[in-house]
Amino acid sequence: MGGPGLLNLAAWSFYVLVLAVQPHQAHSSIRSSFGLNKGGVASPENGLCASSVTIHGYKCEEHEVTTKDGYILSVQRIPEGRVGGTAGTKKQPVLIQHGVLADGLTWLLNSPEQNLPLILADNGFDVWISNTRGTRLSRRHVSLDPSQPAFWNWSWDELVSFELPALFDYVYGQTGQKIDYVGHSLGTLTALASFSEGKLVNQLKSAALLSPIAYLSHMKTALGVAAAKSFVGEISTLFGLAEFNTKWEAVGGFLKFLCDHPGVDCFDLVTALTGKNCCFNSSTVDLLLTNEPQSTSTMNLVHLSQTVRDGVVAKYNYGRPDYNLMHYGEAVPPIYNLSNIPHDLPMFLSYGGQDALSDVLDVKHLLDDLKSHDVDKLSVQFIKDYAHVDFIMGVNAKDAVYNQVVKFFKGQH
């Protein structure tokens, strides 16, 4: 799933559909566990640190980052592992980015011994966890309110242009060190697009991209394809909604409508949407269903659907040549040329043979864009049995993936 990563629309349709059936029960539990007020904003004393980190004996700090387009993001810092470390020793910062319709909690659902942020902290890293605009802890803006459509006037282009740069600037400013980056699904797409435009690279030490998303042409799910087709050009007339919020009846109705498409099997949606995940347990999925999915902008899902349809990694298509001319100075949205990613940038890519979203053929297309990359700067891991969710919630992900991420990061120092 574009987070637990892309969890692009298709992956998260499963969770959305489940919550559409029991919206009041699911979202009241979110409020109780995170101290949300009626506006859906978490009170400062009840963030991810209190709910998911300090309870396990780790230090944790709540930070705020304001982007240049005015969004106020919640960021958690885990400065050291449970055993601490040598006093005065500078630890290597690592920023961890979730995918769409998820938030920072996604990384923390497994036990401390099994989740990536706390494994990194215990291995001597200074860990920073981001929460994308619109999610439960990042529903603030310097002048806009989530009830206003203008708050939701963004796609993943704005995450590339404003959000990742603000996060990198902040972490770099706090630590004075270049940053290691981990992204899953949509968190890989935004990173790759940023790197291709020369953004972040001066503050970046290396990047680990799990279940990497760039091209989506071979997504192996009938429901995902139906969702993508329905979102392209139709979403505004279908809902008239700027925020894609799973509490709303219209969203649940839309997803039920998708399940009636010919060839769409909504019986086992986790497998149908994300691939045959080998290694997560049902109790973790129950936690996920209690606390996710998070809101995103409808425009963001339209943009992801354009990526599925058009087979290119490009900026948002406004649907009319004159609108595109106004925004880009050309009738067709410019592409993100991934072959422009600096060839000496250390990158680790890990993908799975059972992943229905980050499909093997699409990853090979991405790797073809990186064919001129310095051989000693690109590490690629293929896990035959892994699907999309395993990279975030797999009970064996520490041995299968996370230890390799730690080794890769330490190898760059």
Side-chain angles (χ1 to χ4, degrees):
M1 297 177 292
L6 178 56
L7 294 184
N8 69 18
L9 164 67
W12 275 105
S13 295
F14 167 68
Y15 302 107
V16 176
L17 191 60
V18 172
L19 291 187
V21 178
Q22 301 179 10
H24 303 296
Q25 175 184 340
H27 287 275
S28 65
S29 65
I30 292 175
R31 280 199 165 79
S32 63
S33 60
F34 282 89
L36 296 191
N37 61 31
K38 289 183 179 179
V41 177
S43 39
E45 67 271 22
N46 291 315
L48 289 192
C49 281
S51 69
S52 305
V53 180
T54 56
I55 58 170
H56 297 302
Y58 292 80
K59 292 181 181 177
C60 189
E61 305 164 3
E62 296 282 354
H63 290 253
E64 288 183 353
V65 175
T66 302
T67 67
K68 286 187 177 178
D69 58 345
Y71 292 86
I72 301 169
L73 310 176
S74 171
V75 177
Q76 288 71 44
R77 182 186 194 180
I78 308 168
E80 60 186 36
R82 268 189 288 207
V83 296
T86 307
T89 302
K90 273 196 168 185
K91 296 182 181 294
Q92 172 62 32
V94 55
L95 174 65
I96 305 182
Q97 175 62 54
H98 62 80
V100 73
L101 294 169
D103 67 356
L105 174 67
T106 309
W107 298 102
L108 296 163
L109 291 175
N110 275 339
S111 71
E113 295 75 28
Q114 293 177 328
N115 77 59
L116 181 58
L118 299 186
I119 288 169
L120 285 167
D122 283 335
N123 275 276
F125 290 87
D126 178 4
V127 179
W128 298 75
I129 303 173
S130 64
N131 296 271
T132 296
R133 60 186 64 190
T135 59
R136 112 184 99 228
L137 296 172
S138 296
R139 295 175 66 87
R140 295 166 61 203
H141 190 277
V142 295
S143 61
L144 299 172
D145 185 88
S147 64
Q148 299 172 285
F151 183 94
W152 303 98
N153 185 25
W154 53 270
S155 78
W156 58 262
D157 283 335
E158 281 66 39
L159 307 185
V160 171
S161 299
F162 298 109
E163 193 149 304
L164 280 180
L167 291 165
F168 269 70
D169 284 345
Y170 186 84
V171 175
Y172 186 82
Q174 291 285 309
T175 65
Q177 298 182 79
K178 288 192 173 186
I179 300 159
D180 288 327
Y181 176 87
V182 179
H184 177 246
S185 211
L186 182 64
T188 71
L189 174 58
T190 53
L192 289 165
S194 297
F195 303 160
S196 76
E197 295 195 328
K199 294 182 175 72
L200 313 180
V201 294
N202 292 329
Q203 298 165 313
L204 179 69
K205 191 154 203 172
S206 60
L209 308 179
L210 310 181
S211 196
I213 295 293
Y215 302 98
L216 291 166
S217 302
H218 295 90
M219 188 169 61
K220 290 193 185 85
T221 154
L223 179 56
V225 172
K229 287 180 178 177
S230 296
F231 263 101
V232 174
E234 297 178 12
I235 190 70
S236 296
T237 55
L238 190 62
F239 297 156
L241 302 178
E243 176 184 358
F244 189 86
N245 187 321
T246 61
K247 295 194 291 283
W248 293 343
E249 185 178 348
V251 176
F254 168 63
L255 293 164
K256 290 171 184 175
F257 156 76
L258 292 178
C259 287
D260 290 334
H261 274 62
V264 175
D265 179 7
C266 287
F267 180 72
D268 182 3
L269 285 171
V270 172
T271 297
L273 289 168
T274 68
K276 189 176 180 181
N277 295 277
C278 65
C279 305
F280 63 85
N281 62 44
S282 58
S283 62
T284 308
V285 172
D286 289 343
L287 281 174
L288 184 71
L289 293 175
T290 301
N291 295 291
E292 312 286 355
Q294 296 296 307
S295 289
T296 190
S297 73
T298 300
M299 185 175 172
N300 191 32
L301 297 182
V302 171
H303 193 183
L304 286 167
S305 298
Q306 291 171 355
T307 308
V308 176
R309 179 195 65 186
D310 298 338
V312 294
V313 183
K315 295 184 185 291
Y316 184 82
N317 190 333
Y318 287 87
R320 286 176 44 174
D322 54 336
Y323 284 13
N324 288 331
L325 274 168
M326 184 171 64
H327 284 90
Y328 307 122
E330 49 192 291
V332 177
I335 66 164
Y336 291 99
N337 188 343
L338 302 186
S339 63
N340 286 339
I341 294 173
H343 297 170
D344 60 349
L345 175 64
M347 291 198 299
F348 171 86
L349 275 63
S350 183
Y351 68 108
Q354 302 298 315
D355 198 328
L357 294 172
S358 178
D359 183 80
V360 170
L361 291 176
D362 287 326
V363 174
K364 286 181 177 177
H365 189 172
L366 168 62
L367 291 173
D368 190 56
D369 282 348
L370 302 176
K371 63 179 180 292
S372 298
H373 214 80
D374 293 357
V375 176
D376 61 337
K377 297 296 183 181
L378 181 62
S379 302
V380 180
Q381 180 190 37
F382 175 69
I383 306 176
K384 182 180 178 182
D385 296 333
Y386 257 37
H388 211 68
V389 191
D390 291 314
F391 287 93
I392 293 289
M393 295 162 57
V395 294
N396 66 342
K398 178 180 180 180
D399 293 330
V401 185
Y402 301 159
N403 286 345
Q404 281 64 43
V405 171
V406 170
K407 182 180 178 182
F408 168 74
F409 283 157
K410 290 190 172 182
Q412 311 307 318
H413 302 156

